[in-house]
Amino acid sequence: MASVSYHISSLLEKMTSSDKDFRFMATNDLMMELQKDSIKLDEDSEKKVVKMLLKLLEDKNGEVQNLAVKCLGPLVGKVKEYQVETIVDTLCSNMLSDKEQLRDISSIGLKTVISELPPAATGSTMTANVCKKITAQLTGAIGKQEDVSVQLEALDILSDMLSRLGGTLYSFHSSILSCLLPQLRSPRLAVRKRAIIALGHLVLTCSGNIFSELTEHLLAELKRNESTSTTRTYIQCVAGISRQAGHRIGEHLEKIIPLIVQYCNVDDDELREYCFQAFESFVRRCPKEMDPHISSVMGLCLKYITFDPNYNYDNEEEEEEMMETENGEDEEQESNDEYSDDDDISWKVRRAAAKCLEAVVSSRPDLLQDFYRTLSPALISRFKEREENVKADIFNAYISLLKQTLPTQNWLHSSDASGKDDIPLKMLQNQVPNIIKALHKQLKEKSIKSRQGCFSLLTELASVLPGCLADHIPALIPGIVFSLADKSSSSNMRIDTLSFLHVLLCNHQPEAFHPHVKALLPSVVTCIGDPFYKITSEALLVSQQLVKVIRPLDKPYSFDAKPYVKDLFSATLKRLKAADIDQEVKERAISCMGQIIYNLGDHLSTDLQPTLKIFLERLKNEITRLTAVKALTLIANSPLQIDLRPILGEGLPILASFLRKNQRALKLSTLNALDILVKNYSDSLKPAMIEAVLTELPVLITENDMHVSQVTITFLTTLAKIYPSCVSKISGSVLAEIFQLVHSPLLQGGALNAIIDFFQALVLTKTAAMGYPELVKQLTAPIYCSGSAGASLTLHKQAYHSVAKCVAALCSACPKEAPATVNQFVQDVKSAKASPAVQVLAFLFLAEVGRSTNLSAQRELRPVLLEAFSSPSEEVKSAASYALGNVSAGNLQEYLPFLLKEISSQPKRQYLLLHSLKEVISSSPADSLTPYVEDIWALLFKHCECTEEGTRNVVAECLGKLTLVNPAELLPRLRKQLSAGSPHARSTVVTAIKFTITDQPQTIDALLKGCIGDFLQTLQDPDLNVRRVALALFNSAAHNKPSLIRDLLTSVLPSLYNETKVRRELIREVEMGPFKHTVDDGLDVRKAAFECMYTLLESCLDRLDIYDYLNHVEDGLKDHYDIRMLTFIVLARLSVLCPGAVLQRLERLIEPLRATCSTKVKAGSVKQEFEKQDELKRSAMRAVAALLTIPEAEKSPAMAEFSSQIRSSPEMASLFESIQKDSASLPTLEAMDMS
């Protein structure tokens, strides 16, 4: 400590030296000291350092002053509060000094101090006190000062403070407001501008009253309209406030908008520009409140986007000719004309109107058809705009319109969604010729900005409507060639042109380009040789596409590609050989050359082999190996049968070694490449080469990575078919891994199918070690060894299904062996010794075999199955029911009538028998079921009023799946039942409809769309249970086929929202001994309603009134535990999807979150209660973390207060940190998975 103070006092001494260099060096050393975290100053040193630095601010030497100011930053955190106040006081009084230099340096000092103050959330009082001191002085300075530069600096510092620490100045807000408002009428425009910026920062954190006071003042001033100049300022101020805190200005818009509309018609260009800027920020920030005004704002924009009073567009061609003849008379006109083009600022009005239109388009996708009717033609007619900046904004507005038209994700809008959503696309299609007419001349203009705008717009157009430019390609090619060959073009211009060309080539048929290859190719080839790597890389991408165009291999063509091969090949080869170029260029050169060999390999003659040798080199390089593997895969797959023999000897071991590498993408690509090589080049590969590859495979088969396992097993299947002898050598180690996978609970889908194919291929290799009996024995061993008859299942349930499928697949591959195996399993089930595990496996196996073959030869099968229905084990019962269903599906005539009879006569076994019936309906093709439909239908309706809900659900699933057999006839019958039956019957019918909706397109969809509204009417059913299943139906439709319900939302949403309310009449008290316990019967329905709301966010967001939606989310935040968990998730999702709306409601949303986070569980509660509360807090914190990702959320007073509460409570702070860590690690995991 002593040494530090000694060192510092020696520095202070040097600072008093008369030599400026000494002073400079000493100040610099002090700065270094202050920046160390470890430094501690005693009181005396603090005083001296502060005093010295303040003195140095007045130093004669500018460099010393600058350093002294820089020292203030680190000093703030190292000295006590009263010292900081001393610094601030001195700086503030220096601000008012007469010396300009001192004023400047002091204002920099104040800004430095403010930026270093600890944020208010850390709980330090210093910040608040210091800020109050500064504010008091600054507001005085702004108000009284005659000197404008002091005012400007003071306003600047005040803005800084309000933006960083606005919340701490709470008590000063009204005095700040009263100090800033008069500045809006200052004679100096710069002062007004800074006052507006300061007000913008103030409105983020001020209270509602102060905000209202400000808006009232602005409204009053706008009405007074004292002079155009002040009116401009007030409109700018309104726009500024709206940009900063748009969510607060919404409620005042009703009064503001008519005033601004009125000022649009005043003949003052600047005023109009500010009016449109205000409109733009209203449209972006308050979409709901702007709804009634959108049409009038659009009308004004369309009127003023053509506002160009000093220029005549109509007869441009004639004018050009006239100019040449009139040149002589021109001089004398000039002198009389007092208006020059430099004074013309009408372009600013047009630009503001275009930007405003862009805001309208991007925030209102629901008005798309209106936009195409009115706005699109108006914008197209303005593409001729003469002012570059305006033209860029008009292009942007049109690009926004195209982006809104892009069809939404495909999985949501299945085939039946066409029709309504296509109207804008059709309207756009009709306007394409006008767009091209307006643009194609501009592609040859001098202005680079215009050309870039044209290409961006055309690129977007080609992506939105693939194929729409096919007829216009002749008009576009000259422009493309011009931009690529033009020496004056910037590199960005060329890159944009190439990327447009790439999109164009990808989205149109090859024939359309054949007449133009001759014109296009030379300029693309030149670009491949360009010294700038980004141009080269884009040009290689285009060339890759061009190769596919000049010789499409998938269809007959008459175009001769030969003359172009040499140029393309030699340009690409040059880039492929170069080792010292950019990584991206290397990769694209490899891909492009791969494509050339794939499409044109037969034209390359002697050049082919040397090029393949280069590929071999690229395989050996770690940086390019992945791209090289993909290119080789492509070449190996070429229909031209390229000769790869010279490189296979060396190449295959390299590929084999890649299977050991850690990079997942490389493993997958290599397996794919090997698979294709083995299929297409089997005659050139020696067994020794294959064995080298085989030894790498067993390690890749593991349940930790199912996808890699699947691809490996698919490759093994290929090998087993082509090189049976090689596979049999290592089959032991591979099979051990595969058996382990079959018995894994994770195996399903693609990986399971791959294993089944492999077993079938393996059995057919006829090698003794892996014959049929051996494989079956190995597959079933773990189940047969599982021990005594009483033991329950040993493996996971999924493993039994996998084993059964594999054994059944082996049976179908070896039909001679099948009857014996079936017999064996039937005997196993009959034997009294068989354990439940063996029985389950046997039934699942019989189900798999029975589905595809007729098992009527097995006379004992039916009694065995029925007997199993009374087994003590639930697993055995359900497996037997599954088997009966599948065996019946394979032999309908014999089994189905019997099954229907059993269902009627055996009430005790009904549930299991209905499950069997469900399997029959699911597994049988529609035409074979048709004769039995009536009997099944009648039987099901007998049972649809069953009191047992489980049975009703199975009946409903059977009804739903049966309806799919003949929807035209059966759907209307279901509809009739809605009005007829009891509540139980209604709920069964509604659930049945749920089972007719799948995520795949089906014939029933069109019929369903017409009548799903009737089924959703049950959302208003008096019976609680019916309403619950109706919500489940709605949720399923919204999730799997939104198109069914999109147009019904206006009528359905009120009923849905109605179900989110807590119903007092459904809450009852149950006495449990001495305790009273409340039960809420409406909870399940509310839960279902909130689940629907969540689903709608994903699929129908554009059809929701988000503010109305938020009202119900707010109620949910205060509801029961289960509902709150759901609404927290909804809130987190909303923060991402529509942050603007959430911001407007932030104050109301935070209260319930805060209440949840600060609840304490009663001390004597049970463990579950504590866990429940913890889970709830975690979920609430996740929602808070999501809210904080909205940029302006932190600036809301309620949010800022809550954040500081979180930071000050250790428990909440640690919870919040752990959640932030979780969310930070999520994206990286996803990114890893993408590889």
Side-chain angles (χ1 to χ4, degrees), residues 382-433:
R382 289 305 301 167
F383 287 169
K384 62 185 177 194
E385 169 64 56
R386 65 200 172 101
E387 184 63 47
E388 248 185 31
N389 297 325
V390 184
K391 190 186 283 186
D393 283 312
I394 289 175
F395 283 157
N396 282 341
Y398 206 84
I399 289 171
S400 267
L401 181 60
L402 291 172
K403 282 189 172 143
Q404 290 290 356
T405 320
L406 253 180
T408 9
Q409 305 106 310
N410 296 338
W411 62 272
L412 279 178
H413 296 265
S414 41
S415 59
D416 59 349
S418 60
K420 192 159 185 195
D421 292 354
D422 284 355
I423 298 174
L425 284 174
K426 288 193 184 103
M427 295 166 91
L428 173 60
Q429 182 78 55
N430 299 335
Q431 295 180 15
V432 170

Side-chain angles (χ1 to χ4, degrees), residues 1087-1102:
K1087 210 164 153 187
F1090 278 106
E1091 280 165 5
C1092 288
M1093 283 174 64
Y1094 181 73
T1095 309
L1096 286 175
L1097 274 189
E1098 298 302 321
S1099 55
C1100 303
L1101 182 65
D1102 52 332

Side-chain angles (χ1 to χ4, degrees), residues 802-1087:
S802 306
V803 171
K805 282 196 165 89
C806 291
V807 178
L810 287 171
C811 281
S812 70
C814 308
K816 287 184 187 152
E817 311 275 358
T821 311
V822 173
N823 216 356
Q824 167 69 42
F825 273 116
V826 173
Q827 296 311 320
D828 280 347
V829 174
K830 278 175 68 184
S831 96
K833 293 193 203 110
S835 66
V838 173
Q839 289 180 315
V840 168
L841 175 67
F843 285 135
L844 292 178
F845 164 76
L846 290 168
E848 292 300 328
V849 175
R851 192 180 310 136
S852 50
T853 45
N854 186 335
L855 291 181
S856 49
Q858 290 288 341
R859 288 276 153 241
E860 298 175 314
L861 186 55
R862 199 190 292 177
V864 165
L865 284 168
L866 285 179
E867 193 181 320
F869 278 18
S870 28
S871 155
S873 157
E874 285 300 323
E875 279 94 354
V876 173
K877 280 190 212 170
S878 108
S881 134
Y882 179 71
L884 176 60
N886 280 292
V887 169
S888 310
N891 183 1
L892 285 174
Q893 302 145 289
E894 192 177 321
Y895 272 89
L896 191 57
F898 158 72
L899 181 57
L900 296 176
K901 191 172 109 240
E902 283 287 307
I903 292 177
S904 305
S905 61
Q906 297 277 358
K908 279 192 177 159
R909 295 179 178 173
Q910 212 170 59
Y911 181 70
L912 291 168
L913 290 163
L914 282 167
H915 263 292
S916 301
L917 181 60
K918 179 189 80 181
E919 289 301 326
V920 175
I921 298 172
S922 309
S923 309
S924 311
D927 43 357
S928 60
L929 269 179
T930 315
Y932 306 101
V933 166
E934 290 304 322
D935 301 344
I936 302 178
W937 189 265
L939 175 80
L940 288 172
F941 266 103
K942 274 187 200 148
H943 293 288
C944 75
E945 301 198 12
C946 171
T947 48
E948 184 60 51
E949 188 176 0
T951 309
R952 280 206 312 275
N953 279 343
V954 185
V955 169
E957 192 169 345
C958 292
L959 276 172
K961 292 190 168 161
L962 193 60
T963 307
L964 293 173
V965 174
N966 181 1
E969 195 180 315
L970 298 179
L971 194 59
R973 287 198 208 172
L974 274 180
R975 193 166 159 186
K976 269 193 198 138
Q977 290 294 330
L978 272 180
S979 48
S982 64
H984 280 339
R986 286 201 301 278
S987 73
T988 307
V989 169
V990 173
T991 310
I993 294 295
K994 184 177 88 176
F995 285 107
T996 62
I997 299 173
T998 57
D999 53 1
Q1000 299 301 320
Q1002 284 180 320
T1003 42
I1004 194 171
D1005 295 342
L1007 301 164
L1008 252 184
K1009 196 164 185 178
C1011 66
I1012 196 164
D1014 301 341
F1015 293 101
L1016 290 176
Q1017 284 289 311
T1018 50
L1019 283 170
Q1020 296 160 0
D1021 197 277
D1023 184 80
L1024 190 66
N1025 198 35
V1026 176
R1027 294 206 299 275
R1028 183 174 59 79
V1029 294
L1031 285 166
L1033 160 65
F1034 182 58
N1035 196 6
S1036 169
H1039 181 70
N1040 295 312
K1041 280 221 178 77
S1043 53
L1044 292 175
I1045 53 145
R1046 283 172 78 81
D1047 302 336
L1048 299 171
L1049 283 180
T1050 39
S1051 56
V1052 175
L1053 279 176
S1055 317
L1056 169 66
Y1057 290 151
N1058 201 24
E1059 293 307 321
T1060 61
K1061 297 191 173 74
V1062 180
R1063 302 265 164 88
R1064 294 271 163 250
E1065 68 273 17
L1066 294 174
I1067 298 177
R1068 54 200 167 88
E1069 276 200 345
V1070 181
E1071 288 190 6
M1072 294 171 119
F1075 301 109
K1076 284 187 174 173
H1077 185 61
T1078 49
V1079 176
D1080 183 352
D1081 293 330
L1083 181 61
D1084 282 348
V1085 175
R1086 288 209 304 285
K1087 210 164 153 187

Side-chain angles (χ1 to χ4, degrees), residues 8-9 12 15 30 34 41 43-55 71-72 75 79:
I8 284 187
S9 57
L12 293 174
M15 287 182 191
L30 177 66
L34 288 173
L41 296 174
E43 204 155 323
D44 192 38
S45 305
E46 276 186 21
K47 217 183 242 161
K48 286 180 183 163
V49 170
V50 169
K51 193 173 168 193
M52 196 65 209
L53 284 175
L54 291 174
K55 186 177 163 205
C71 287
L72 291 176
L75 187 66
V79 297

Side-chain angles (χ1 to χ4, degrees), residues 533-534 537 540 575 578-591 618 621-628 663:
Y533 74 96
K534 283 192 170 170
S537 132
L540 284 165
R575 288 302 184 188
D580 53 347
I581 47 171
D582 186 79
Q583 169 74 10
E584 193 179 68
V585 178
K586 278 184 191 169
E587 290 180 0
R588 286 189 174 168
I590 294 171
S591 310
R618 296 291 170 264
N621 181 338
E622 191 174 336
I623 297 175
T624 52
R625 62 189 181 192
L626 180 59
T627 319
Q663 192 184 352

